[in-house]
Structure formats: C-alpha cells, structure tokens
Amino acid sequence: MPVKGFQFSAVEAAIKKPGRLDLALIFSQTPARVAAVFTTNKVKAAPVLISQQRAKDGICRAVLVNSGNANACTGEQGMRDALTCGRKTAEALGLPDEELLIASTGVIGQTLPMDRFRAGIEPLVDGLSGGTIENVADAIMTTDSFAKLETRSGAAGGVPYTITGIAKGAGMIQPNMATMLAFLVTDADVEPAFLDRAFKEAVDGSFNAITVDGDTSTNDTALIMANGAAANPLITAGTPEGERFVALLHDVLLSLAKLIVKDGEGATKFVEIRVQGAADHADAKQAALAVANSLLVKTAFFGQDANWGRIIAAVGYSGCEMDQGKVRISFDDVLMVQDGIFTGGDAEAAGTEVLKQKEFTVTIDLRIGSGAATVYTSDLTYDYVRINADYRT
C-alpha cells in the first residue's frame, strides 16, 4: 500500500557517472514529524551539520539528497554550497529553509558542482508529480549493486498505515549512529517523543548492529518522516498500537540493514555473529563486533576455512569479560569448540560445509552471564580490495 501524502523525484544531474540518477527529493505534502540519527564520526560533512541542527525542531517537509559527492571536508565553501542547494530547493517548494533536510554521499574532499545542482533543482521539483520512491532508492546508490527498499503495513484504531524505507550502503559500513543513508516515510500519526525514542532504539538494533569493514562514514544519516496522512488515532507509547508500530519499524530497519551487509562490496557471504552468555549486553556486542570486524575472520569466511582459532582470539582481545575454559563456538548447529577446546576432525569437516553456504550463523557462548548481542557481517574478498583501490578513478 503506497504511503499517503508523500511525493518523490529523482533526476540525473551529472554529479556522478553519466547515465545514472544522482539527485533526489522526498516531499511531504503536509508538515511531518521527523526523528533522525547521524554519524558519530568527529569528521562530519556539511549536510550532516545542517540537518543535525534542523532536525532538532522535529518538523520536516522535504529531504534533498545527492550521490556522487559527499561534500565532506570542504570547509566553509562546502557549508555555503549545501545551504545554497537547500535554499534553492526550499524556494522552489515554497518552504522555509529550516523545513528541508540535506544529505549527501560519495567522494570526500571535493566541492559540489553547483552549476549542475542549480540546473537540476527545477526538473527535480517538477518531477514530484510522477516520481516514485524507487527512483529515489536508485538515485542514492554509489557502489551499491542493487537498490534497497522495504515496506510494512499496520493499523491503529482500525485505520491502516504504511511504513516504507530505502537505504544505500555497501562499503564504509559500521554506522555507529556507514557510507550509509536511510530514509523512512510513514503516513501514520505518531506522538513526537515516542517516534524519536522508537526510531533511535530501532536503529540501535539494526544499523548499529551491522558491519562490512568497520569504517564509520562522515555522512551517515538515518531519518523517519511521519506526516499523519493516514488519519489514524495518535500512536503513543505503552499501547498495543505503539508496540505494533515499534515492531514494524524495527522490521523495516533490520531488513534494510541486512540488505546493506548482503550488498557489502565484493561480499559472497552473509554472516550472523551471535554472542550469548556474556557478562552484559555491552560486553556481548563488543565481542561480536571484534569477531565481525576481524580481517582474519572475514578472510577465513571467504576462503571457507573453519578457522575457529581466529574467532576465539578476536573474542579474547575484544576486552569483554571471559573465561576461555568455558567458551563454546558453533557454526550453525556444528559445535566447533567446547570448554575452549576444539571438538575434533569431524567438526572440522562439518564446519567447512557450513562455511560453503552463502548465509550462516556463528554462535559464541561465553557461559558467564546473561548478556547477548547479534551483529551482522560479510566476508572480505578480492573484489572489496579492487572496488576500493580504484574508487575515485
């Protein structure tokens, strides 16, 4: 079911390679509540700094996004250019500047081609009547091999509503809110404080639980716009409708996050790293990320080498509390390590078969507490090096 009250547009402004959409617009026909999270990198792109400030007001009518140029590390010129792009677009839409958020993704350190931006704004706004969210999903891609879009439907007080989200990302992925952008729109009417809290919690369990290469971008942005066009009774915390909204929101975000990992630059494996029995959740996540980001572990996944030693070593240096004599490690349902000791040659052969699959789970049971966390990662391949070795050429 389409999301009510939103319009979309995308054009080719020649910001990146010819023949590809690269400038996009999301527009709410009525004022929308907004919740957003941004990169924790201390180096932040100009559009992030602008949108961070504007999102604090909690109202957003439009999002302008480009790919092919991050407008990061471009100094005062970059800030002026971002503000100019936003102002020109807001004027064309008849909006105050503050109701438009800006996002960019692409190469760091290059100033925006402003003549191309200016030329693209009029056709971008004119195209709102005929554009689709799929067009926007295509326009925000950089090294992505496919567009990422997820939709879920729910109801509040018997009134149906829809949540739709798009994302981009394949490399420079460990968001910490990677280069990652995500935009969600919903026609549900949601209480502002509840929307903000629910979105941030859902991001923590989705985009903050993935890694492709351990890099946190200068441009990471994830936001949701809720315009209430469904005309449902207000969704609030502590209600069945609120719980349902949270579940749907988390499902959309987690599905998008998994698609980012599956599209990891050059990736051939999608791996779920589960840590359980940790002292607490923080320890579990710390250990899971250490394993998920280990280059030796990721290359072993690529080589289909059941090298559990690299995994237990990564847990050991992660800084989490552990007793190596209690650790269990399994590949899917194959127990590789019991009480910190290899279970034998049969497990080696069975574990290798598991690693031949495109998707599998590594479970690490520390057996010292009740803390648990899951992180999603990919393998590290020759193609990842190739893609990133000539990214700017």
Side-chain angles (χ1 to χ4, degrees):
M1 185 168 60
V3 184
K4 296 177 181 177
F6 285 95
Q7 293 180 305
F8 310 93
S9 180
V11 298
E12 180 186 346
I15 299 168
K16 58 184 180 185
K17 295 178 181 178
R20 298 178 63 182
L21 299 172
D22 52 17
L23 185 61
L25 184 63
I26 299 170
F27 175 66
S28 177
Q29 294 169 311
T30 57
R33 297 177 176 120
V34 65
V37 290
F38 301 91
T39 182
T40 58
N41 196 322
K42 292 183 179 179
V43 179
K44 292 178 172 61
V48 168
L49 294 171
I50 294 167
S51 294
Q52 261 187 322
Q53 187 62 38
R54 292 180 178 178
K56 291 178 181 178
D57 293 336
I59 296 294
C60 174
R61 290 287 304 277
V63 179
L64 175 69
V65 54
N66 75 274
S67 57
N69 186 310
N71 194 13
C73 301
T74 48
E76 290 300 319
Q77 182 65 50
M79 185 65 73
R80 286 193 297 271
D81 289 345
L83 288 169
T84 298
C85 292
R87 183 174 63 254
K88 294 291 185 183
T89 307
E91 287 175 355
L93 292 169
L95 304 177
D97 291 6
E98 293 73 19
E99 292 185 4
L100 182 139
L101 303 186
I102 309 165
S104 298
T105 181
V107 177
I108 293 171
Q110 296 182 359
T111 56
L112 293 175
M114 291 300 291
D115 55 334
R116 300 174 194 172
F117 260 91
R118 291 188 180 95
I121 289 172
E122 183 177 348
L124 186 66
V125 173
D126 289 345
L128 282 171
S129 59
T132 67
I133 194 168
E134 288 84 0
N135 298 145
V136 179
D138 288 338
I140 63 177
M141 294 194 299
T142 50
T143 59
D144 305 61
S145 62
F146 59 86
K148 302 164 182 69
L149 185 149
E150 293 287 334
T151 296
R152 302 291 185 274
S153 295
V159 179
Y161 64 82
T162 302
I163 304 173
T164 295
I166 60 173
K168 67 83 52 182
M172 208 175 196
I173 298 294
Q174 182 172 291
N176 285 335
M177 358 223 5
T179 304
M180 191 206 85
L181 300 178
F183 307 108
L184 279 75
V185 292
T186 180
D187 48 18
D189 193 7
V190 188
E191 193 274 323
F194 173 60
L195 179 69
D196 186 69
R197 184 169 66 254
F199 185 66
K200 289 175 180 175
E201 290 175 357
V203 165
D204 193 53
S206 56
F207 294 132
N208 283 352
I210 62 173
T211 179
V212 170
D213 46 25
D215 271 289
T216 297
S217 166
T218 56
N219 289 62
D220 294 340
T221 299
L223 62 84
I224 182 169
M225 298 169 67
N227 66 6
N232 58 278
L234 186 68
I235 298 174
T236 61
T239 64
E241 290 82 2
E243 292 176 3
R244 177 62 175 159
F245 179 82
V246 168
L248 290 172
L249 180 60
H250 183 269
D251 195 31
V252 170
L253 287 172
L254 184 58
S255 296
L256 288 171
K258 288 181 177 181
L259 288 176
I260 288 174
V261 176
K262 290 179 180 181
D263 196 25
E265 291 169 342
T268 66
K269 310 287 184 184
F270 174 81
V271 188
E272 185 173 330
I273 308 293
R274 296 179 185 169
V275 175
Q276 60 194 40
D280 54 30
H281 170 74
D283 256 21
K285 190 162 187 179
Q286 188 170 326
L289 280 170
V291 173
N293 281 322
S294 166
L295 300 184
L296 290 177
V297 170
K298 289 164 74 70
T299 51
F301 290 157
F302 174 58
Q304 300 170 168
D305 176 12
N307 194 335
W308 59 269
R310 294 180 177 181
I311 294 172
I312 198 169
V315 174
Y317 68 62
S318 72
C320 76
E321 183 180 342
M322 68 174 295
D323 178 346
Q324 71 178 65
K326 293 183 177 181
V327 176
R328 291 177 182 165
I329 300 174
S330 299
F331 295 167
D332 280 353
D333 59 355
V334 177
L335 184 63
M336 301 294 298
V337 175
Q338 171 72 46
D339 298 329
I341 304 298
F342 180 41
T343 56
D346 289 344
E348 175 85 15
T352 298
E353 289 302 309
V354 170
L355 267 59
K356 289 179 180 179
Q357 301 170 164
K358 290 185 177 181
E359 299 186 19
F360 54 87
T361 300
V362 175
T363 303
I364 303 154
D365 191 347
L366 300 181
R367 300 169 63 204
I368 61 171
S370 59
T374 300
V375 169
Y376 305 92
T377 192
S378 59
D379 57 347
L380 184 63
T381 70
Y382 305 126
D383 279 344
Y384 179 88
V385 177
R386 178 187 57 79
I387 290 166
N388 285 283
D390 62 4
Y391 177 66
R392 299 197 307 159
T393 58

